[in-house]
Amino acid sequence: MPSLPPTDITAYNTSSTSLKVQWNPVPQGYTHGIVLGYMVLYKREKDLNNSYINTTSPVTFVELTELNKFAMYVVKVLAFTIKGNGAMTNGTHAKTDEDGEYV
């Protein structure tokens, strides 16, 4: 399993209910096997007691949909191999967009 997390994680809103998250792969030499994919964990920042929701991606980006409008989210990413989950990134923050027209 990877001993380092993916690098350069970024997240930004693509609508009032979605975020795009992208990252770079685990640095070469630290995967300790073939990376099968990535797990993206996310939750609303103010939901301190709730657990993270997770989704997987075979590539280095994912679009999170059906999120709350105009809400701040914390997002973390890890890579996994056949032997298990690797190290997780620190949380990055992104806010979904406001809904409605701008004046």
Side-chain angles (χ1 to χ4, degrees):
M1 61 188 121
S3 56
L4 286 180
T7 60
D8 300 323
I9 178 175
T10 59
Y12 57 91
N13 69 55
T14 52
S15 78
S16 62
T17 58
S18 63
L19 296 173
K20 182 162 186 178
V21 184
Q22 51 194 37
W23 57 90
N24 288 329
V26 173
Q28 194 171 14
Y30 295 92
T31 57
H32 309 292
I34 297 168
V35 172
L36 300 176
Y38 299 90
M39 185 179 301
V40 179
L41 298 97
Y42 63 98
K43 71 177 183 175
R44 279 193 325 175
E45 184 178 56
K46 72 178 192 175
D47 295 341
L48 299 177
N49 296 327
N50 291 352
S51 33
Y52 283 86
I53 300 166
N54 70 63
T55 187
T56 58
S57 175
V59 293
T60 57
F61 63 90
V62 69
E63 182 128 5
L64 306 176
T65 59
E66 299 180 23
L67 304 176
N68 291 74
K69 295 177 181 178
F70 203 52
M72 183 67 74
Y73 281 83
V74 180
V75 183
K76 300 179 180 187
V77 180
L78 61 83
F80 59 89
T81 66
I82 197 164
K83 297 213 178 217
N85 294 340
M88 187 181 307
T89 62
N90 292 327
T92 192
H93 297 77
K95 185 180 262 188
T96 52
D97 208 355
E98 290 186 71
D99 197 12
E101 293 185 20
Y102 292 103
V103 250

